[in-house]
Amino acid sequence: MSADYDRLFHSPDAVRTADEDPDRETPPAGRESVAPQGASSRNDVTPPPMPVAPPRTQAAAAPPPRQTEITSQIPPTQVSGPQRVPNNGMMRTPQSPAPTGARHEQQRPAPAPAPRPAPAPAPSQHFAEGEGAWRPGAQPAPTSAASMGNHRAIDALSHVGVRSAVKMPSQRGWRHWIYMMTRINLGLSPDEMYEMDLHTRIRRNARDSYQIGVFGLKGGVGKTAVTVALGSALSRIRGDRILAIDADPDGGNLADRAGRQSAATIADLLTDKELHRYNDIRAYTSMNGSNLEVLSSEEYSAARREFNDEDWRAATEIVSRYYNLVLADCGAGLFQPGARGVLSTVSGLVIVASASIDGARQAAITMDWLRQNGYQDLLGRSCVVINHVTPGKPNIDVEDLVQQFERHVPPGRVIVLPWDKHIAAGTEIQLDLLGKKFERKVVELAAALSDDFDRLERR
């Protein structure tokens, strides 16, 4: 009996379309209607409930219905094949088409199908080109490097702050003694941190061969001593090749104050035509304990002519290929040919004046001459040194003099050098024998000049 009902209710000919039953109400779209209990039919016999097959996760697409019948396909596990039974008028007409693969004797609401994921807005590899549809189950393509930009991950790490786990111990003062006795590291003192900042400024990269001239209109103001001390500080802190040239036409003593090691002069260098390596230049120079090299001028008694601008240009053309910094110890005049040659090539300037009213006037005249003769840009890269060449208190207000000079040069470029016993002795200058205050002022002078190493405007 059960098998007969099963064949009758699942026969394709027994199913009627919605157009053949005008009295039936159309069920809401998307929901499966269940036949109400107690509804009238041509046969009062109610078939027994049959077991409902478990719903499939994804139903196959049903074929389009015909004009007079709806074909319902049963899975092969339940019925071996579709059978047609004639409609004899004794079967119940279903209220809605039965879902594919499910029996409708006692219908239950089927679970809603899982929503299909929306396709990505941009076309990628999981889009079926030429088909106009997205392939189901395809994985999206990885994001390309072009969509992420041209930024490198390693470049962003340069902005990440890193804190050191170990502090640098102090090397002097009470902080150093506490560290030596108790191993308690209090770090560097403010003075040591300031000194480290000065050294960092001095170690700036100098493009090409940077040349610095040391001038003073009055003799005896300490130009040569400033040149040796400045060059020694630059050489010790930077660690590269630095050369000081004696450009004084009146018989300067630069080699004697730096420590003469070679009797060769700049005239001997200019006559040598076989200069191809650094060692060829080194044979004509003298080097002190701070690795500062000095090229002495020709002796005044044996010189055939004075040092001029052609000698300076020829010498710098040779040595600039082997030395990063070149210092010029000039004479007392600005109208001399050698001084004009130095002014035409240098990128930095040091104006030395004594701590006296006479020395202050000479420094002021030098600055006015530079401004009036087309060296205004060079004056902006100049430093003024007020040197105490005699012990004791000078006859001028040094603080007021500093304020007056700072109106003509950039701030922080007026350096006051104290009187130093080692400098006043007139012997070979050694950086380790200088007073701490004098040495610090020389380092500040070197840092001020080093601030212009990376400036584009050059002579």
Side-chain angles (χ1 to χ4, degrees):
M1 184 71 177
S2 175
D4 296 337
Y5 279 110
D6 187 30
R7 288 194 302 269
L8 291 176
F9 279 96
H10 286 279
S11 176
D13 295 335
V15 181
R16 300 178 62 188
T17 60
D19 297 336
E20 295 176 357
D21 194 358
D23 298 334
R24 186 181 63 85
E25 297 179 358
T26 304
R31 296 184 58 186
E32 298 176 1
S33 61
V34 181
Q37 298 181 2
S40 60
S41 62
R42 297 183 181 180
N43 193 356
D44 295 333
V45 180
T46 303
M50 300 299 292
V52 181
R56 299 177 64 182
T57 57
Q58 184 175 359
R66 300 178 181 177
Q67 295 181 355
T68 58
E69 61 179 7
I70 299 177
T71 304
S72 177
Q73 185 177 359
I74 301 176
T77 55
Q78 298 180 8
V79 181
S80 59
Q83 300 179 4
R84 294 181 179 270
V85 179
N87 188 357
N88 53 6
M90 299 181 62
M91 295 181 296
R92 295 176 58 189
T93 302
Q95 298 295 327
S96 62
T100 303
R103 301 181 180 181
H104 59 276
E105 286 82 4
Q106 185 175 355
Q107 298 183 6
R108 296 181 182 179
R116 182 176 297 178
S124 59
Q125 295 180 0
H126 63 283
F127 183 77
E129 298 181 358
E131 299 178 3
W134 297 84
R135 293 179 181 175
Q139 298 295 331
T143 307
S144 61
S147 61
M148 298 177 61
N150 297 326
H151 303 286
R152 298 194 309 168
I154 191 63
D155 295 337
L157 297 183
S158 60
H159 305 286
V160 178
V162 180
R163 291 179 295 181
S164 177
V166 180
K167 294 186 297 184
M168 184 179 297
S170 177
Q171 300 297 324
R172 59 177 180 263
W174 60 271
R175 296 170 183 264
H176 173 68
W177 290 109
I178 290 179
Y179 176 74
M180 295 299 295
M181 291 184 295
T182 64
R183 311 307 294 179
I184 298 176
N185 188 4
L186 299 178
L188 299 176
S189 63
D191 184 72
E192 290 176 310
M193 296 179 64
Y194 173 67
E195 185 179 20
M196 290 182 60
D197 179 68
L198 293 177
H199 290 187
T200 303
R201 293 164 58 188
I202 293 175
R203 293 190 182 100
R204 281 190 176 100
N205 182 32
R207 290 176 294 213
D208 300 331
S209 180
Y210 199 91
Q211 301 176 12
I212 300 173
V214 182
F215 284 86
L217 290 184
K218 190 176 187 304
V221 296
K223 295 187 306 297
T224 303
V226 170
T227 303
V228 175
L230 175 61
S232 300
L234 288 169
S235 179
R236 174 172 295 185
I237 297 173
R238 292 179 58 87
D240 51 5
R241 297 171 182 172
I242 298 179
L243 177 65
I245 299 179
D246 195 343
D248 190 352
D250 296 329
N253 61 342
L254 178 65
D256 296 330
R257 299 303 302 268
R260 185 185 295 271
Q261 295 176 342
S262 174
T265 63
I266 189 173
D268 300 328
L269 177 70
L270 295 178
T271 56
D272 192 349
K273 303 302 181 182
E274 299 295 331
L275 301 175
H276 304 291
R277 296 181 299 273
Y278 164 73
N279 290 337
D280 299 335
I281 310 296
R282 181 66 181 86
Y284 296 95
T285 63
S286 301
M287 181 181 292
N288 67 355
S290 301
N291 295 332
L292 171 67
E293 297 184 41
V294 174
L295 183 60
S296 64
S297 62
E298 196 173 5
E299 292 185 6
Y300 190 78
S301 59
R304 297 184 299 270
R305 55 180 177 83
E306 68 177 3
F307 183 82
N308 55 27
D309 55 344
E310 295 181 359
D311 298 335
W312 169 256
R313 290 191 180 94
T316 54
E317 184 179 356
I318 297 172
V319 302
S320 60
R321 293 175 291 178
Y322 307 101
Y323 296 89
N324 298 332
L325 296 178
V326 178
L327 280 69
D329 182 19
C330 301
L334 292 175
F335 291 100
Q336 299 172 352
R340 291 297 185 94
V342 172
L343 289 174
S344 63
T345 62
V346 295
S347 299
L349 202 64
V350 178
I351 303 173
V352 183
S354 60
S356 61
I357 187 61
D358 187 23
R361 288 196 184 101
Q362 298 299 327
I365 292 174
T366 303
M367 289 186 287
D368 292 340
W369 186 90
L370 292 174
R371 185 181 299 105
Q372 296 172 8
N373 288 271
Y375 297 99
Q376 179 67 31
D377 57 338
L378 186 58
L379 185 62
R381 297 190 299 270
S382 301
C383 292
V384 179
V385 173
I386 302 175
N387 188 19
H388 286 73
V389 295
T390 58
K393 187 175 181 180
N395 60 353
I396 191 174
D397 188 354
V398 178
E399 295 182 358
D400 188 17
L401 184 61
V402 170
Q403 295 179 2
Q404 295 299 324
F405 284 159
E406 284 183 346
R407 299 171 56 184
H408 305 279
V409 296
R413 290 177 175 260
V414 180
I415 308 298
V416 180
L417 293 180
W419 180 82
D420 188 82
K421 184 178 181 179
H422 178 59
I423 295 294
T427 59
E428 177 185 347
I429 297 175
Q430 300 182 20
L431 200 60
D432 296 333
L433 298 180
L434 294 175
K436 297 301 180 183
K437 188 176 181 180
F438 188 94
E439 183 181 1
R440 173 59 62 82
K441 291 297 181 179
V442 171
V443 173
E444 291 179 353
L445 173 62
L449 293 169
S450 302
D451 292 340
D452 297 326
F453 284 173
D454 53 355
R455 291 178 61 174
L456 296 178
E457 57 269 18
R458 295 282 183 84
R459 273 200 174 271

